[in-house]
Amino acid sequence: MFFKPIQGLVSRLIFTLFLILILGCLSPETALAATVDRPILTVELLQERLKLPEQNNGNQTIDLKHLEIDLRSENSEFRDRFYSLLQARLTRSSHVSLDLSDSIVKGSFDGSLLALRVPLYGQALSPLFTPEELEQLQRDRRRISQLRSLSRLILDESQLNNVSNLKLAVFRSGLILKNTRFLDSVNFNNIFFLDRVEAQGAIFSRDADWSETRFSQPFSLTDASFGAIARFRNSIFFDQSNFARVHFKGDAIFIGSTFENTVNFHQAQFDSAANFTRTHWKGNADLSQTHWQDRAQFSKSDFDRALFLSEATFLSNITFRESLFSQPVNLRGANIWGLMDFSDTRFSHSAYLNIAELNFDSDRATITGNPGQIGKILSIPTLQGNENLLQNLVRNFRIQEQIADANQIEYQIARLWQQELGDRFRGIDINTAHPETLAKIGFSPQQVTAILNYRKQQPFVNSNEILNLDEIDLATYIKVRDRLVFRLPISLFGWFDMGLDWLGLSLLLWLSCYGTNFGLVFGIGLLTIAYFSGLFWWIDRDRQYLPHQTLPHLGESLWMLGSFIILSTFGLLAIFRNSAQPWLTLLCLATILVPLPTCFLGSLYRRKFESESFELSYFVEEGTLRQLRLAIGRLPIVPRYPLFRERYLPLLLDRRWNWLNYYDFSLNNLFKFGFNDIRLRDTHLPGEIASLVWYQWILGLLYITLLFWTLSRTIPGLNLLIYLK
């Protein structure tokens, strides 16, 4: 007697394990059918449900929930009655919905047999629909355009109305498919849904065809699953569409589809290829946290609003060829393992790619686009946390020999580093700030106390530590984050070294875009040559308190003024065209060129000229040869050796072309080459003039270094030799 209860318990356990084993061997569809006991829908039950629909918010609902609906070919008699009875009831009024939630549908399901088929063209539409429904039908601009094209081909309208195949399938009723399981193919091809379609959690085991379908009201497929191909080719979603957490196990085909409103693919998973070619996204497109195991095609698509791909994972290639972006694309935190192609893609002035915290390895993944364009539209707000990403992007573009884009990324690195150094000077250090300062920028007294207690134990290193404090909420941090910096204590020498770093980096950014823009460097050179040539011409020809033998005639003055204006104009155009901050570039250049030469000229003209040969020029030229010479290794002063000094003769001030000699001398001093060997005489020479010449010569050494550095970074062959050795 004692063993009988135990024996019964063991028998039940064995039966349970056997049942679990059998269900595990079955397909998911069969397993679900075996575990859930659903009544089978019959004609009698269908007629009963049609006679007594449920009332839901004032609308009638045909309740076909929790049923097993057999539409297989061997049950053709029920299938025909199913479609005919439902079609007659659904097309009678627009205030009725069909609810198939939690039901299992066996056999192919053809939704077009439940729709109202009406003439596609002419006035026959008017008496069949309400004014609200007609207004929804008029939203289909694509179909109207097709009709207009068709009407041009058929001149006689009576012939057009007699064409039998020009029919429009309209689904007037709402369709609810929550957790519905379709075991075979589903067809909703070429249907205009006037009411909502709700298919949350629906399972489509076979092919599902929604091609050429129009959704006038919100469409929801949240948590749905497609076991085979899902076709939405040339479909139009007039209202919000929700594909959140949808699992596409087969190909997802959205070719030519239009999303008139916002669309949500958040956390959707694509196991096979996804084709969104020629799609039009008129609202915000949320594809964040999506997972793409196979290739994704977005070629020739238009994105009128923002595209969100944040934290998305692309294990294969994704293509945006010939697409148009009107608003930013958010790739923050995305994972790229294949090729991301932006070739021939167009970006509006307000569009860019936000790639902050992008997971990208240049050894396995590739980002490509139009050379010289793709690097400019990549945007990263801060350097912290993105250093490796930026270096990988530089290597990515250098491997593809897109030197301009690699240089653009390096320019962004330098600009972000300059910004970070500037923030360290301007920002409020949370580790040393006075409590009153913390309260002034937005912290409450309790928050200030918490900050003071924390930094007594250890200094703050990053923003995560301040967010970990219980008293600090996210709203307060967002309000003060732009004014706070996190730095360890620094000595006076450290401040000085940081200031030099900021100054040197700023000069490289303003004067050469960190060695990435030869046009900017060349424009600065043109402006500098024109400026110093004018100065040398002026001090050599206009000598105060002396006779006027050296004064230029009107023709020479006009030539000098005209050439100065032309060179300065070309230099300014190059600066404004190539510099990211042209006014800062000009301010930096003016700071270098104006103050010290002005002091020299002021000192020179305050005192009386003293010269034994006031009718001669301060500049002399080597008179034995006239040729192009490289002056990289010589000084601007005439040699002291008498035999060499005899070869140098003063400039001929009475020649009409003499003004060219001053440009020649300025070229020698700055670019280190010229057409003649022109130097400064070493006798009876005011010290201010010698100082001015030596000042330009020193600037020339710095300039030629900057020029060669820029050329080494912008010439493709030399660039690859240096950076990919």
Side-chain angles (χ1 to χ4, degrees), residues 82-92 112-117:
F82 173 82
Y83 285 121
S84 61
L85 291 174
L86 270 180
Q87 199 264 354
R89 181 65 184 88
L90 292 175
T91 57
R92 190 185 311 164
S112 62
L113 298 179
L114 302 177
L116 176 64
R117 304 201 53 93

Side-chain angles (χ1 to χ4, degrees), residues 650-693:
L651 298 181
L652 300 176
L653 303 182
D654 58 344
R655 299 297 191 267
R656 288 180 299 176
W657 42 263
N658 181 60
W659 57 276
L660 290 172
N661 289 318
Y662 301 100
Y663 285 105
D664 197 356
F665 179 76
S666 191
L667 273 174
N668 277 319
N669 251 10
L670 193 70
F671 278 95
K672 305 306 178 186
F673 79 92
F675 296 95
N676 293 308
D677 186 5
I678 300 178
R679 308 195 189 194
L680 195 65
R681 75 186 188 189
D682 62 344
T683 58
H684 307 291
L685 179 71
E688 294 84 352
I689 299 178
S691 300
L692 184 61
V693 170

Side-chain angles (χ1 to χ4, degrees), residues 227-406:
I229 299 177
R231 293 185 178 89
F232 290 85
R233 183 190 294 267
N234 294 326
S235 297
I236 301 179
F237 303 84
F238 290 103
D239 212 317
Q240 297 180 0
S241 51
N242 195 342
F243 293 86
R245 299 179 298 280
V246 175
H247 191 179
F248 295 92
K249 299 179 181 179
D251 292 352
I253 302 175
F254 287 81
I255 299 175
S257 295
T258 300
F259 301 92
E260 298 280 348
N261 210 314
T262 58
V263 56
N264 181 14
F265 278 91
H266 179 69
Q267 292 184 348
Q269 182 171 343
F270 299 84
D271 292 349
S272 189
N275 197 332
F276 289 84
T277 303
R278 295 192 306 276
T279 50
H280 194 174
W281 311 70
K282 297 185 178 181
N284 291 330
D286 185 3
L287 280 74
S288 60
Q289 297 184 21
T290 49
H291 190 87
W292 312 73
Q293 294 190 16
D294 208 333
R295 65 187 183 277
Q297 291 276 349
F298 288 88
S299 302
K300 300 180 181 179
S301 298
D302 292 346
F303 297 87
D304 295 347
R305 301 295 295 275
L307 171 61
F308 296 91
L309 291 170
S310 51
E311 300 183 29
T313 300
F314 301 96
L315 300 181
S316 187
N317 299 342
I318 177 171
T319 302
F320 291 95
R321 282 179 175 268
E322 301 181 48
S323 295
L324 171 64
F325 293 99
S326 301
Q327 295 294 327
V329 180
N330 192 343
L331 283 165
R332 188 182 189 94
N335 301 273
I336 300 177
W337 296 87
L339 170 67
M340 179 169 281
D341 190 359
F342 290 95
S343 300
D344 300 319
T345 303
R346 294 166 293 164
F347 293 89
S348 67
H349 294 295
S350 59
Y352 57 87
L353 300 178
N354 181 6
I355 58 172
E357 302 176 11
L358 179 71
N359 294 315
F360 173 79
D361 188 349
S362 59
D363 293 332
R364 291 176 293 183
T366 304
I367 295 179
T368 186
N370 291 350
Q373 180 196 41
I374 183 67
K376 294 180 180 179
I377 54 94
L378 297 179
S379 174
I380 296 180
T382 59
L383 184 62
Q384 185 177 4
N386 295 298
E387 296 90 344
N388 292 334
L389 166 63
L390 290 167
Q391 294 299 331
N392 284 331
L393 286 173
V394 171
R395 182 171 179 81
N396 167 77
F397 289 124
R398 294 200 188 281
I399 292 174
Q400 301 177 62
E401 298 187 16
Q402 295 184 212
I403 305 305
D405 299 308

